[in-house]
Amino acid sequence: MIRTSAAAMAALLLHSSCAFAQESRTATSGVFQRYAEQIVKIEVVETGSAARVSVGTGFFVDSNGTVVTNYHVISEYVHDPERHRIELIGADGSTPLSVRAVDVVHDLAVLRSELRPARHFTLAPVAVAQGERLYSLGHPNDLGLSIVEGTFNGHLQHTLYPKIHFTGSINPGMSGGPTISEDGRVVGINVATSGEQVSFLVPVENAIALVQLESAPDYQPPDSMLHEIGRQITEYQAVYLDGMFDDGAKTVELGPYRAVTEPAPFFRCWGYSTRERELPYERASHRCATDDYLFIAGNQRSGTVQMTHQLLTTASLSRSRFYALYSAVFSEDNTPIGVEEHVTKWRCGTRNVRNQSTPVRAVLCLRRYRKLDALYDAVLKVAVLGGSDTGLVSTLSLSGVTHESIDTLTQRYLERITWR
Amino acid sequence: MALIVEVVDSRGGSVKERVRLDGGSLNVGRGYDNDLILDDLYVDARHARIDVNADGSVEIEDLGSINGLVALDTPGRVPRVIARPGTQVRIGRTILRFRDPSEPVPPALQERTKPAGISRLFDNGGLRAAAFIAALTMATAYTWFGSYERDSGSTAVAVAVVFVLFAVMWAGIWAVASRIVINRFNFTSHLAAVAVVAIPVMLFTSIDAWATFLFPDNPLWVPFGMVVWSGLFMLSIALHLSLSSTMDRLRRWRAAVMTTGAFALMMGLLAYAGRDAFTDVPEFQGVIKPFSGQMLPAIDVSGFSDVLAELKEEADELATDR
């Protein structure tokens, strides 16, 4: 009896799962057929070599030929418009695109073509339930328009600006494409992936805001997009750098020292330590960083804040040998990478600094963005002096910030590192 | 007036022979029946004749040789030349230079019976060994105190071996030079010279680290350090030259200054050529020393703004340079 029931149950499950798969395939195929023509491929071409430097996806949002995509798809053009052009690749060949508006913080751009599409997406706020099935469209690795099924998994908790967690495989080339519900409502814009079906979308609300700005009757595209990007980054950092490391800052006790930690809810902190038998010292690290970053161009990222405290202790090294170790750890380079086209070389200055109670060795390194006015990357390294078998090396890394912010934050950071 | 004729090798410039012309004639050529026999394949068997005339004048005449007679102050071949003190003629690849016997010569160099100053070190085998052992011990100790691994002992031994190898190689090169120039090897003396320079080099490395730690923003320290490093380099060259040449002290130091200058110039040119090369790796002083007392020169936190202002100025300049 039991066996019969179990067999019947299995047959039922198999039947329903087959039916579900069949239904899902039909739904996906239907979505693709209904919306494929509203999605376009976008290429940035270097005029000198007539070769593509970037391929992405975009989609029509009105009948005037307005296309939404990611800023990072067209960033090469924005940084060097003399040497590049943007093309929309459709079924009927290529059409030039112009940049109307960018939002570097949310990684969005609004472009305009001469085409008058018969059908387009209509952007509107959308409510989606956790687990709802979504469809991401784009040109993965330039292999032709593809559709990827996935599920909505809510907004990320640790980001300064909201991002949608989409469980589906977004690949390079799909950037800028829409992720939609079965009935064609745009939920987000494909922006990033961290592999293994963990992908991220820019919420549609940000795209709506940018399209509304661009379609206002008195709107004029900025004379200098780079200037506009610089302005947006400065505005962005003002939001979260304002109260950072101030008097109410959270601190952590590391050995005999106290230092700041988790400066804001959108920071994530981890700890790890090295205790290997063959090493005559221990090294414990406490690291906090923002998940968000701003895409500048190429390999250049910006807008991140990172801090690392490294506690060194030894039971067997003499004072002199411990300070050799301390110097070596302090000399390690953990500055962000830089590309000559975008940033200058580092310039560093070293001083011995005394806050109320603690003498420290402090190194500040600074470099400037070449094309973004008045923005800098800064790395502050601090080593607390005076211990004979313990030491703390602390590094604060700020990218894409103004010199005024660097001044305020380095002062506050130096004040907050003390002996307990 | 009698003259002296000097046979000079036209390539090396060294005098091979001197002959006093007292009167009569002197046959010059490669043949063995000449009065002045020249070992020069470009000279004829009977090439030229030097005549001392009755009035004391001296004349050199070409005897129809293949390569002729060339007066060095006039272009082309000449049949004969009236020789005076200072006259130089070329036959084949040999130069004949005429000199006045009354010409003064510089006083003789005084022979040193006992070595003076630091050279005394090199004459005493025990001191030579002591200097080398002291330098080796220092190098090993510096490595030990500068390392922090559990097996630092083996690192220190490895550095000691490298130090010995380097010193032996460097001293060996100088010893070969000594053998060629003054016919003596002086290997252990050169080894001691390496030690004599290595000891202040290591000491100054320590002083440099401490000074950089205590006064990281002193603008005079870097040029001062360069002067010291150049001085030590010069000392090294001058010491080795004293052991491998017959140069007097002035010439030794002149050679040391010129070598150091050339080396510094080369390094300067290399640095200048690479000054614009882009790198995203910062350069900063990372040395920390175990000293934190009230005597430590330090600025207030608010003073750190000035550091940022200086860096900003430099970075802004770099951004606009391009």
Side-chain angles (χ1 to χ4, degrees):
Chain A
M1 183 67 185
I2 292 170
R3 193 178 292 171
T4 316
S5 300
M9 186 69 79
L12 190 66
L13 278 173
L14 189 64
H15 174 76
S16 58
S17 121
C18 286
F20 178 74
Q22 180 68 38
E23 187 188 322
S24 170
R25 267 201 302 277
T26 315
T28 308
S29 163
V31 168
F32 186 82
Q33 280 163 15
R34 281 198 299 280
Y35 303 108
E37 67 180 89
Q38 301 169 35
I39 292 155
V40 295
K41 184 162 86 169
I42 294 171
E43 290 184 356
V44 177
V45 178
E46 196 197 17
T47 44
S49 60
R52 294 179 303 180
V53 293
S54 165
V55 176
T57 307
F59 56 99
F60 288 114
V61 293
D62 62 24
S63 56
N64 298 324
T66 306
V67 171
V68 167
T69 186
N70 285 140
Y71 160 73
H72 77 251
V73 171
I74 53 127
S75 66
E76 295 290 345
Y77 170 84
V78 171
H79 275 260
D80 202 350
E82 311 294 322
R83 285 176 47 214
H84 298 94
R85 63 173 186 268
I86 313 176
E87 290 180 354
L88 180 156
I89 311 293
D92 308 324
S94 69
T95 310
L97 281 165
S98 60
V99 180
R100 294 280 297 166
V102 295
D103 178 349
V104 70
V105 174
H106 298 102
D107 200 350
L108 289 171
V110 173
L111 314 176
R112 178 67 63 80
S113 71
E114 296 294 320
L115 297 176
R116 296 292 175 262
R119 299 175 66 194
H120 61 82
F121 289 103
T122 302
L123 299 183
V126 58
V128 190
Q130 180 102 13
E132 189 172 325
R133 186 159 299 276
L134 298 177
Y135 304 88
S136 180
L137 291 124
H139 291 266
N141 301 316
D142 198 19
L143 296 173
L145 185 61
S146 307
I147 186 163
V148 172
E149 242 182 84
T151 46
F152 176 84
N153 265 302
H155 289 81
L156 295 183
Q157 299 300 310
H158 290 280
T159 51
L160 179 56
Y161 286 97
K163 271 196 190 118
I164 293 169
H165 176 191
F166 172 65
T167 305
S169 293
I170 292 181
N171 287 301
M174 292 177 78
S175 287
T179 294
I180 58 177
S181 58
E182 193 176 338
D183 57 0
R185 292 170 298 146
V186 177
V187 176
I189 292 91
N190 308 334
V191 71
T193 177
S194 52
E196 300 293 333
Q197 301 237 353
V198 178
S199 300
F200 306 109
L201 313 175
V202 182
V204 70
E205 288 77 7
N206 298 122
I208 293 170
L210 192 63
V211 170
Q212 277 176 352
L213 170 82
E214 186 273 337
S215 56
D218 55 347
Y219 177 79
Q220 288 295 322
D223 293 335
S224 162
M225 279 293 172
L226 285 172
H227 186 78
E228 172 62 13
I229 288 169
R231 189 194 64 75
Q232 289 179 6
I233 295 174
T234 309
E235 210 175 88
Y236 163 79
Q237 53 166 273
V239 175
Y240 72 97
L241 295 182
D242 194 31
M244 198 173 282
F245 309 136
D246 62 9
D247 291 339
K250 201 168 162 183
T251 57
V252 61
E253 289 176 357
L254 295 157
Y257 310 101
R258 180 174 284 121
V260 281
T261 184
E262 211 181 333
F266 48 85
F267 272 78
R268 289 224 257 185
C269 300
W270 302 267
Y272 55 91
S273 56
T274 316
R275 282 194 186 86
E276 290 171 32
R277 188 168 292 181
E278 63 267 25
L279 293 176
Y281 57 87
E282 289 177 5
R283 184 170 170 164
S285 298
H286 179 94
R287 182 171 179 272
C288 298
T290 49
D291 267 354
D292 283 306
Y293 64 82
L294 303 183
F295 183 91
I296 300 293
N299 290 326
Q300 199 68 52
R301 304 284 187 270
S302 185
T304 53
V305 178
Q306 290 180 15
M307 40 186 271
T308 310
H309 305 305
Q310 296 188 76
L311 175 70
L312 297 169
T313 48
T314 184
S316 57
L317 289 176
S318 67
R319 195 174 159 96
S320 159
R321 296 181 66 204
F322 177 69
Y323 269 77
L325 164 74
Y326 204 9
S327 300
V329 173
F330 188 61
S331 302
E332 283 172 1
D333 170 33
N334 26 34
T335 53
I337 61 161
V339 183
E340 186 175 15
E341 195 186 342
H342 301 299
V343 289
T344 64
K345 283 194 281 193
W346 290 105
R347 280 285 174 264
C348 302
T350 308
R351 294 291 186 278
N352 298 320
V353 182
R354 203 184 297 275
N355 63 26
Q356 301 95 346
S357 63
T358 311
V360 299
R361 180 77 161 173
V363 173
L364 179 65
C365 293
L366 189 79
R367 70 181 178 196
R368 189 179 147 161
Y369 285 80
R370 290 186 189 279
K371 294 178 183 171
L372 301 174
D373 290 343
L375 288 180
Y376 302 83
D377 286 348
V379 174
L380 173 69
K381 289 177 86 92
V382 182
V384 181
L385 301 174
S388 58
D389 55 4
T390 59
L392 181 75
V393 174
S394 183
T395 308
L396 171 68
S397 180
L398 305 162
S399 68
V401 286
T402 60
H403 133 261
E404 290 80 7
S405 295
I406 295 170
D407 197 16
T408 312
L409 293 176
T410 51
Q411 301 261 329
R412 288 180 187 165
Y413 197 77
L414 282 167
E415 291 285 2
R416 302 279 173 272
I417 294 179
T418 55
W419 286 92
R420 278 206 269 152
Chain B
M1 179 185 61
L3 288 179
I4 304 288
V5 61
E6 288 179 334
V7 179
V8 183
D9 182 348
S10 70
R11 277 176 292 182
S14 58
V15 177
K16 289 176 161 180
E17 197 176 350
R18 289 188 176 92
V19 177
R20 189 183 179 91
L21 303 170
D22 286 324
S25 296
L26 198 72
N27 286 320
V28 183
R30 193 153 43 88
Y32 298 116
D33 56 345
N34 286 289
D35 303 305
L36 184 55
I37 302 164
L38 300 178
D39 184 17
D40 181 342
L41 294 174
Y42 295 87
V43 168
D44 279 32
R46 289 182 73 81
H47 198 111
R49 192 177 64 243
I50 300 173
D51 291 316
V52 181
N53 300 324
D55 59 356
S57 64
V58 177
E59 205 175 345
I60 176 161
E61 185 186 353
D62 182 18
L63 299 178
S65 63
I66 291 172
N67 292 316
L69 175 68
V70 178
L72 290 193
D73 53 355
T74 50
R77 294 163 60 153
V78 289
R80 67 176 56 76
V81 173
I82 304 291
R84 294 187 180 84
T87 300
Q88 293 189 51
V89 296
R90 183 169 62 77
I91 58 175
R93 297 216 168 155
T94 303
I95 288 170
L96 299 181
R97 188 162 64 198
F98 294 88
R99 304 196 84 137
D100 187 344
S102 59
E103 201 178 303
V105 291
L109 293 175
Q110 187 159 12
E111 202 171 0
R112 269 187 301 174
T113 47
K114 276 193 172 179
I118 201 151
S119 307
R120 215 177 298 165
L121 167 74
F122 302 119
D123 278 10
N124 182 324
L127 284 177
R128 286 201 297 262
F132 189 74
I133 290 167
L136 182 62
T137 311
M138 251 177 108
T140 313
Y142 268 53
T143 311
W144 167 260
F145 287 112
S147 63
Y148 42 81
E149 305 303 328
R150 197 169 287 287
D151 59 350
S152 290
S154 44
T155 312
V157 171
V159 167
V161 171
V162 169
F163 178 82
V164 171
L165 281 177
F166 169 78
V168 165
M169 215 165 68
W170 179 252
I173 293 168
W174 280 102
V176 170
S178 304
R179 178 72 178 79
I180 293 166
V181 178
I182 60 166
N183 215 20
R184 291 177 63 189
F185 247 118
N186 281 342
F187 176 73
T188 51
S189 297
H190 282 295
L191 214 51
V194 173
V196 163
V197 178
I199 291 170
V201 162
M202 286 184 275
L203 282 175
F204 188 70
T205 307
S206 267
I207 294 169
D208 186 39
W210 270 98
T212 314
F213 171 72
L214 292 173
F215 311 105
D217 57 332
N218 190 331
L220 295 177
W221 186 256
V222 173
F224 174 72
M226 281 162 81
V227 169
V228 173
W229 290 123
S230 304
L232 290 170
F233 189 79
M234 270 188 267
L235 173 71
S236 168
I237 302 287
L239 274 181
H240 286 296
L241 282 177
S242 75
L243 296 166
S244 59
S245 77
T246 53
M247 289 179 178
D248 59 32
R249 180 177 294 178
L250 185 69
R251 285 187 66 199
R252 284 201 305 267
W253 278 97
R254 202 186 296 158
V257 169
M258 283 168 70
T259 315
T260 310
F263 188 68
L265 185 71
M266 232 158 55
M267 301 307 278
L269 283 174
L270 274 176
Y272 183 77
R275 74 197 184 287
D276 287 335
F278 178 80
T279 168
D280 64 353
V281 179
E283 274 178 31
F284 60 89
Q285 298 153 355
V287 177
I288 309 173
K289 292 287 177 188
F291 182 75
S292 65
Q294 286 302 315
M295 299 292 284
L296 176 76
I299 58 170
D300 292 338
V301 171
S302 59
F304 207 64
S305 287
D306 298 338
V307 180
L308 174 62
E310 280 170 31
L311 297 175
K312 178 182 178 298
E313 207 170 297
E314 290 176 26
D316 288 349
E317 204 174 309
L318 280 178
T320 48
D321 269 0
R322 194 161 175 254

